[in-house]
Amino acid sequence: MQVENVISNSITQDIRLKGHQSIRFAPDGFSVLISDASYTPVYLKQYKFEGSVPVEELVTECGRILDEDGLLSFEGETVLITDSMAVTLLPRQFFNVDKNREILEKICSLDKNDRVFDRIVKNRDFHMIYAVPDKIIGLGNRFAGDVKILHMAECLLSLSDQVKASDHQRGVLMAEVQDHTLDILVIVGDRVQLLNRYSLNDPSDFIYHTLNTMRQLGLDPETIPVYLSGIIHEEHPLKELLVKYIRNVISTPYYLEHLSKEQTLRYMILSEGSKCV
């Protein structure tokens, strides 16, 4: 397993009591961000395996590392961000908690031990329904402080507030690209038109899915902007390839103190998790 120490400042007792801890799980690893009460990052590490690993192994290793680093005793706010493929938005008028599992099982197969969560999406007339592996729930129960479990799709929706209001009206596509996953959000007329997840065999596959989404929804690549977050930064060759097909490709605007623009793109979902709760 590879470890990237992005920020390794000491975590004071005040931060442990009043700060924010955010942990994002991916198919091939997890990231840990700790911020002070004003959301300034003080600790950021990424742990990656060579390829995808079972969620049981992922959570076990995460729990071991958090325990060794004394982070299970964190008494501030902790957010666990899952990336389950089983997630959907449901208009509030159609929401029925008794049918949540049935709805998700039509989208993606669920493990018998998966729990189904739902949350009201801020500033949107939707409920988000998503599956959470029981191992992640078990890890959440080990923390000393308050724990919330979110889906990364909710964080992407929250990030859309960083986009200009005029783009929300005209139309905008947001793509969150990681090594093995892609999340696409489309907003037109300030209404969510699409929120989809994809598994990627290779990060370059995100270009096909992005172009195909725009074609299917009739979005004009000459006028509709695409905002990127995740591993695709300004100098990335895949961005240079995408701009051959789409006129306006932009890095999602965001600010994280002490981080470069490239690092900010990679970890903005991790940071936004703490702000969603």
Side-chain angles (χ1 to χ4, degrees), residues 17 19 37 48 57 73 75 83 121 133 183 199 211-212 217 269:
L17 292 174
K48 292 192 68 172
E57 181 179 346
S73 62
E75 295 182 60
D83 72 340
V121 179
D183 289 81
S199 293
L211 294 175
N212 190 50
L217 295 182
I269 287 285

Side-chain angles (χ1 to χ4, degrees), residues 86-120:
V87 59
T88 191
L89 287 176
L90 195 65
R92 192 170 302 182
Q93 64 267 33
F94 299 121
F95 175 74
N96 182 338
V97 67
D98 295 329
K99 294 185 177 181
N100 283 356
R101 190 175 191 92
E102 177 185 344
I103 290 170
L104 281 184
E105 287 178 332
K106 293 179 180 179
I107 299 171
C108 185
S109 60
L110 302 183
D111 186 275
K112 65 179 182 180
N113 293 320
D114 286 349
R115 284 264 305 278
V116 176
F117 283 48
D118 65 83
R119 282 173 56 85
I120 297 174

Side-chain angles (χ1 to χ4, degrees), residues 47 62 91 204:
Y47 302 84
C62 180
S204 62

